[in-house]
Amino acid sequence: MNQPINETESEDGISLAVYVALLALTAATLAAGMLGRNGRLMAISIAVIIASLKASLIGFYYMGLRRERALTWVILGAGVLAVMILLVGIFPDLTFRRL
């Protein structure tokens, strides 16, 4: 007997997997923060990468961006580009400042 697949069950499984991934990424961010004073720039870089992964997961699965049109992706890309430009401006300050 063929029974239809219930969409809410598959969505619940994906939501749970995304939630667990977010928890794991949060733990990874905490671990990256404990790299110490010598690896401060590396810890910040890793934390920014992990934060962008977490933001992507939240946007795609909880905010429904994976079902949006192309114009939304263009607008999102412009925002990501602006953030990247700001980060490029911040990292030299972190590198050359005195502690």
Side-chain angles (χ1 to χ4, degrees):
M1 309 229 165
N2 291 340
Q3 293 184 359
I5 297 174
N6 192 354
E7 267 188 48
T8 58
E9 288 180 14
S10 64
E11 289 289 325
D12 289 343
I14 291 173
S15 294
L16 181 63
V18 170
Y19 179 70
V20 170
L22 288 170
L23 288 176
L25 288 171
T26 301
T29 304
L30 289 172
M34 295 181 185
L35 285 177
R37 223 177 226 297
N38 295 335
R40 184 179 183 128
L41 183 61
M42 182 176 287
I44 292 172
S45 300
I46 291 171
V48 167
I49 291 169
I50 292 172
S52 63
L53 285 172
K54 288 178 6 181
S56 297
L57 284 173
I58 291 169
F60 288 147
Y61 292 103
Y62 292 127
M63 296 174 63
L65 289 179
R66 62 186 167 151
R67 294 182 291 266
E68 291 296 325
R69 295 184 182 161
L71 182 60
T72 304
W73 289 103
V74 170
I75 294 169
L76 182 65
V80 169
L81 180 65
V83 168
M84 294 305 288
I85 290 170
L86 289 172
L87 286 176
V88 167
I90 290 172
F91 278 125
D93 184 44
L94 291 173
T95 305
F96 296 116
R97 76 176 188 174
R98 295 183 185 203
L99 297 175

